[in-house]
């Protein structure tokens, strides 16, 4: 009986030790992949920077918000560019390679020629945290090369698909000279064609120093943009690119910027 009790206690202790080990392993994995990369906010980045701001907008003084678009260029991008040009505004475009840059190089050229900011949104929109380092690097370098071929300049900004990043992705971005840009406002325009709903979602979430995420390739998005711009201006916002939002700070490779 005593031997049975000892064996049972031993099995319980082993099970407890195994459970603790699993919990610690999961916690360590989460810490390494989610919480330990370098990140900062636009406001904090500006606060640590010194010097003057090039251009007419100083977001240390103005009530700024950055307008960004993912997943283009596409056929609908031209209409968006017409709107921005009419309102004398510039946005940041995080562009995708396969089916986009490769298909619409002339629209990419127009984005650049009209003074908009261009970022990297990978070649095939693979979630970079779910693929190995070589494949993740290829997703970015192939897009860098395609953008440079058309515009003559490599981006210094990228946006990870689904906003998913970790230490591995940060290391690759640091090596490639790319700062990571997340967002604070999402209209989830990939799930609706209702332009009025897209507009409402943007306006409900927008605050000073925010970064708005939209997708110009979705049907309801571009029609919503004029109303979004008008309402933001009425609320006192100055619409800028991501780099303008950070200035006088310079985007740091590997760093994650999120409001």
């Amino acid at each position: 009986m005593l031997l049975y009790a000892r064996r049972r206690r031993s099995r319980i202790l082993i099970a407890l030790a195994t459970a603790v080990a699993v919990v610690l392993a999961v916690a360590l994995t989460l810490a390494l992949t989610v919480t330990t990369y370098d990140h900062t906010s636009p406001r904090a980045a500006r606060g640590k920077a010194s010097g003057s701001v090039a251009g007419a907008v100083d977001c240390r003084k103005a009530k700024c918000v950055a307008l960004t678009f993912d997943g283009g260029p596409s056929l609908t991008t031209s209409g968006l560019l017409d709107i921005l040009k009419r309102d004398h505004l510039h946005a940041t475009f995080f562009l995708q390679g396969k089916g986009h840059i490769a298909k619409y190089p002339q629209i990419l050229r127009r984005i650049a020629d009209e003074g908009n900011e261009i970022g990297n949104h990978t070649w095939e929109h693979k979630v970079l945290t779910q693929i190995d380092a070589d494949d993740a690097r290829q997703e970015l370098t192939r897009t860098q090369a395609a953008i440079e071929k058309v515009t003559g300049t490599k981006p210094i900004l990228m946006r990870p698909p689904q906003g998913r990043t970790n230490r591995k992705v940060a290391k690759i971005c640091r090596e490639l000279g790319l700062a990571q840009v997340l967002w604070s406002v999402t209209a989830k325009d990939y799930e609706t064609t209702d332009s009025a709903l897209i507009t409402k979602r943007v306006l409900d979430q927008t605050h000073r120093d925010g970064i708005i995420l939209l997708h110009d390739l979705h049907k309801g998005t571009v029609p919503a943009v004029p109303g979004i711009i008008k309402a933001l201006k009425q609320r006192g916002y100055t619409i800028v690119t991501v780099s303008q939002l950070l200035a006088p700070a310079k985007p740091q490779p590997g760093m994650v910027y999120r409001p």
Side-chain angles (χ1 to χ4, degrees), residues 205-226:
Q205 298 173 57
T206 298
H207 300 283
R208 183 174 182 175
D209 293 327
I211 299 176
I212 299 169
L213 165 62
L214 292 168
H215 301 78
D216 49 302
L217 69 164
H218 294 309
K219 185 177 179 180
T221 302
V222 172
V225 171

Side-chain angles (χ1 to χ4, degrees), residues 5-259:
R6 286 177 177 174
R7 287 178 176 173
R8 186 170 183 273
R9 184 170 60 183
S10 177
R11 286 196 296 269
I12 292 172
L13 289 172
I14 290 170
L16 286 172
T18 301
V20 169
V22 169
V23 170
L24 289 174
V26 171
L28 178 60
T29 299
L30 288 173
L32 290 175
T33 59
V34 177
T35 62
T36 59
Y37 53 76
D38 291 333
H39 59 88
T40 189
S41 68
R43 180 177 296 181
R46 291 196 309 263
K48 294 178 181 178
S50 59
S52 59
V53 174
V57 180
D58 187 342
C59 292
R60 295 173 297 187
K61 302 173 182 177
K63 182 182 174 183
C64 292
V65 62
L67 187 58
T68 73
F69 296 90
D70 284 9
S74 61
L75 287 176
T76 52
T77 306
S78 294
L80 173 59
L81 292 170
D82 291 342
I83 294 167
L84 295 173
K85 187 174 182 179
R86 182 193 67 205
D87 288 321
H88 307 289
L89 295 174
H90 298 108
T92 301
F93 289 81
F94 291 96
L95 304 180
Q96 193 174 322
K98 185 177 180 180
H100 297 276
I101 295 170
K103 190 173 182 180
Y104 303 110
Q106 71 282 6
I107 299 178
L108 167 57
R109 189 173 296 110
R110 182 183 170 190
I111 292 171
D113 288 348
E114 294 185 0
N116 296 286
E117 185 168 43
I118 295 172
N120 185 323
H121 197 43
T122 73
W123 190 257
E124 292 188 65
H125 204 259
K126 293 180 180 179
V127 178
L128 301 180
T129 57
Q130 296 178 356
I131 58 179
D132 65 35
D134 288 341
D135 287 343
R137 185 176 287 103
Q138 181 74 2
E139 279 286 299
L140 293 169
T141 56
R142 192 173 181 185
T143 309
Q144 290 286 89
I147 292 172
E148 183 180 28
K149 182 178 179 180
V150 175
T151 68
T153 305
K154 286 183 180 180
I156 60 171
L157 303 177
M158 66 83 72
R159 174 166 283 156
Q162 298 183 13
R164 298 191 186 187
T165 188
N166 58 18
R167 292 178 68 189
K168 173 192 73 180
V169 177
K171 181 176 183 292
I172 294 168
C173 288
R174 194 158 49 246
E175 293 167 354
L176 297 179
L178 289 166
Q180 305 181 74
V181 181
L182 302 188
W183 59 88
S184 58
V185 179
T186 174
K188 296 184 178 180
D189 50 356
Y190 47 81
E191 67 181 23
T192 181
T193 59
D194 187 337
S195 298
L197 178 59
I198 291 170
T199 301
K200 182 179 186 303
R201 287 175 173 174
V202 169
L203 298 178
D204 285 349
Q205 298 173 57
T206 298
H207 300 283
R208 183 174 182 175
D209 293 327
I211 299 176
I212 299 169
L213 165 62
L214 292 168
H215 301 78
D216 49 302
L217 69 164
H218 294 309
K219 185 177 179 180
T221 302
V222 172
V225 171
I228 290 170
I229 291 172
K230 181 179 179 181
L232 289 175
K233 287 183 175 180
Q234 288 174 342
R235 297 181 183 192
Y237 287 102
T238 299
I239 298 171
V240 296
T241 65
V242 169
S243 288
Q244 286 177 311
L245 187 66
L246 299 178
K250 303 293 184 184
Q252 297 301 305
M255 179 67 75
V256 173
Y257 293 91
R258 61 188 196 201

